[in-house]
Amino acid sequence: MTTLIKNGVVIDTEPEPVVLGRMDVRIERGTIAEVGPDLAVEPGAEVIDATGRLVLPGFVDTHRHTWQATVRAIAPDIDFPAYLRRVLGELAPRHRPQDLYAGNLAGALECLDAGITTLLDWSHAQFSPAHTDNAVRALRDSGIRAAFGYCYGGEPGGLAAETRRVREELFDTSGLVTMVLAALGPEIAGEERALEEWRMAAELGLPVTAHLGGHGRESAAKALAFLEDNGLLATPTTFVHALYYTDEEFKRIAAAGGTASISPVDEMNLGLGYPTTGRARAAGIPTGLSADTVVCAPGDMFSQMRTAHLLERGRPDGAGFGFTTRDALRMATIEGAEVLGMADVIGSLRPGKQADVILLRTDTPGMAAAHDPIGAVVLNADIGCVETVMVAGRVVKSGGQMLHHDLPAVLASLGESADVVSGG
């Protein structure tokens, strides 16, 4: 019931990232109980020797189409219109319920392996109730903490009934996997669908995550005005991509309590637009990072932090030089937790929070002798550094090896599904 992480270099993130130095972390019943130097070892406690390791909160991915693990790197150089045609138009409908399970399980384990302990699974391959049931079951089986973003994909007229079924049958108020409503309106599926989605979310007490502001200036302005005019932003809403808003519009989103999810690699690779990381945060919008899709992007948070840092500091005329590696780490941890409405539960090492914790090796040529541990996490670390991963105090990766799953069997199942959906 008690775990003591001893002698690691602890990095906390709340309210801002800071290196606390060589410290211990005591975990009791899945919760962080104490952080401090030379904590006593209680009889019966499990001790994790963190000498030569960095100890920090697990990463938070605020928007990922997890099922797309079945089509990893299938279109590495695609643009967004081609992505819509190829991935969503052709490949997604080929997924059987068992393929959604295979993709979600492997995709969630990929996250854990990389130190991502919390995930918003933006799931838009819900072609039947069986697809949904399998997607949720895979998340639960993986051991990750997840917000399942349910996006209705059935016949017209069935959204309300099926969303209620999913909420009532698959989710309660406890457990690591919770539910949010992933909306297609108003910019993708229109205003009528948006009204139904946001009103359903309000009825069921669910937050909303939606691709907003990533489809051009006119679309962004029109959709924001529609949401405001209809009072829909009273429901907590995450603006995924948020690329084409003015500074004044960002301030309105912030005033309404909106949050943002930025996918720096995909936004550039798909030609969506230049990430608005600094402008969104300057307006006071909690802004998290997102891998989006492994169809054409890496699935780890190190890549997202590095890209966000690079692109923000590379803005013209030095406008982004105020953005630091600490900002990037904050976005990947406590700020991502704020985006998901989980900042009181995860995202930092504050006593009382759930023990979602990762240990990173520093005894590698690429990490040794780093003078700034936070800079090293953002600029130098990679998946190979992730030695230990805990979710709610449960160790899911130890010694660099994933636990609790027959990984070869998981990957074999993923390969079979990949052959089916790709027509291979």
Side-chain angles (χ1 to χ4, degrees):
M1 300 297 288
T2 298
T3 301
L4 190 62
I5 301 174
K6 292 286 291 181
N7 205 36
V9 174
V10 174
I11 300 172
D12 202 4
T13 55
E14 188 178 14
E16 299 293 335
V18 61
V19 180
L20 298 180
R22 199 168 305 283
M23 294 275 179
D24 303 337
V25 179
R26 185 190 310 283
I27 297 165
E28 297 179 354
R29 296 179 177 85
T31 300
I32 298 169
E34 188 177 4
V35 178
D38 302 317
L39 299 182
V41 180
E42 299 177 2
E46 177 186 2
V47 177
I48 297 176
D49 183 5
T51 303
R53 307 296 184 258
L54 304 178
V55 182
L56 61 154
F59 300 129
V60 180
D61 187 330
T62 57
H63 155 246
R64 177 189 293 242
H65 307 299
T66 315
W67 60 271
Q68 292 179 0
T70 56
V71 287
R72 181 187 311 278
I74 201 167
D77 305 306
I78 204 168
D79 64 11
F80 187 61
Y83 168 85
L84 293 177
R85 292 193 303 270
R86 173 72 170 139
V87 178
L88 299 188
E90 298 174 12
L91 298 175
R94 296 178 187 173
H95 281 71
R96 304 162 299 175
Q98 61 264 41
D99 301 322
L100 219 57
Y101 179 88
N104 255 29
L105 179 59
L109 294 179
E110 172 190 2
C111 289
L112 291 172
D113 188 43
I116 297 169
T117 53
T118 299
L119 161 72
L120 188 141
D121 177 23
W122 217 106
S123 197
H124 52 354
Q126 306 308 312
F127 304 115
S128 73
H131 284 80
T132 304
D133 296 350
N134 274 268
V136 174
R137 182 166 61 89
L139 293 176
R140 289 206 171 99
D141 288 350
S142 74
I144 201 167
R145 187 185 304 278
F148 177 68
Y150 175 69
C151 181
Y152 177 72
E155 295 297 323
L159 185 151
E162 180 60 10
T163 304
R164 288 193 190 95
R165 181 197 75 84
V166 173
R167 177 70 178 88
E168 293 168 2
E169 294 185 8
L170 302 184
F171 295 93
D172 55 28
T173 57
S174 62
L176 292 175
V177 183
T178 55
M179 182 180 177
V180 306
L181 195 148
L184 283 181
E187 291 194 61
I188 297 174
E191 294 178 352
E192 183 177 345
R193 169 140 176 171
L195 284 173
E196 187 175 14
E197 288 171 325
W198 263 263
R199 288 169 180 172
M200 179 58 54
E203 175 188 324
L204 299 177
L206 301 174
V208 173
T209 175
H211 296 80
L212 293 166
H215 306 281
R217 172 71 196 122
E218 182 179 351
S219 175
K222 180 181 178 183
L224 178 59
F226 169 80
L227 295 172
E228 292 172 323
D229 291 346
N230 287 276
L232 302 184
L233 293 183
T235 296
T237 299
T238 296
F239 290 66
V240 176
H241 299 313
L243 291 164
Y244 291 99
Y245 296 114
T246 64
D247 290 346
E248 188 272 335
E249 287 167 338
F250 271 135
K251 291 177 182 177
R252 282 156 47 194
I253 292 170
T259 60
S261 175
I262 301 294
S263 310
V265 176
D266 267 357
E267 286 164 9
M268 294 297 286
N269 199 26
L270 289 170
L272 291 173
Y274 204 95
T276 53
T277 308
R279 290 202 302 115
R281 297 179 84 238
I285 300 173
T287 305
L289 293 172
S290 145
D292 195 353
T293 172
V294 295
V295 165
C296 56
D300 66 284
M301 194 55 64
F302 302 108
S303 297
Q304 307 306 325
M305 288 190 290
R306 267 195 280 279
T307 304
H309 181 260
L310 168 70
L311 293 177
E312 188 59 28
R313 291 181 65 85
R315 286 169 56 197
D317 302 321
F321 268 4
F323 188 85
T324 68
T325 52
R326 279 156 172 74
D327 292 316
L329 181 60
R330 192 179 197 283
M331 291 178 70
T333 54
I334 185 63
E335 201 163 335
E338 292 173 14
V339 170
L340 300 189
M342 298 183 183
D344 59 339
V345 179
I346 59 163
S348 75
L349 300 180
R350 190 183 73 200
K353 288 195 175 186
Q354 293 279 290
D356 291 7
V357 182
I358 61 176
L359 276 62
L360 304 182
R361 295 177 57 186
T362 62
D363 59 344
T364 67
M367 286 289 284
H371 293 264
D372 182 340
I374 292 175
V377 171
V378 174
L379 298 180
N380 306 113
D382 56 29
I383 295 173
C385 298
V386 181
E387 182 176 72
T388 303
V389 178
M390 305 176 72
V391 179
R394 178 178 183 247
V395 177
V396 298
K397 184 178 184 180
S398 179
Q401 301 298 314
M402 295 294 293
L403 308 178
H404 314 305
H405 291 273
D406 182 346
L407 203 54
V410 170
L411 299 183
S413 178
L414 179 69
E416 293 171 4
S417 288
D419 286 343
V420 169
V421 301
S422 66

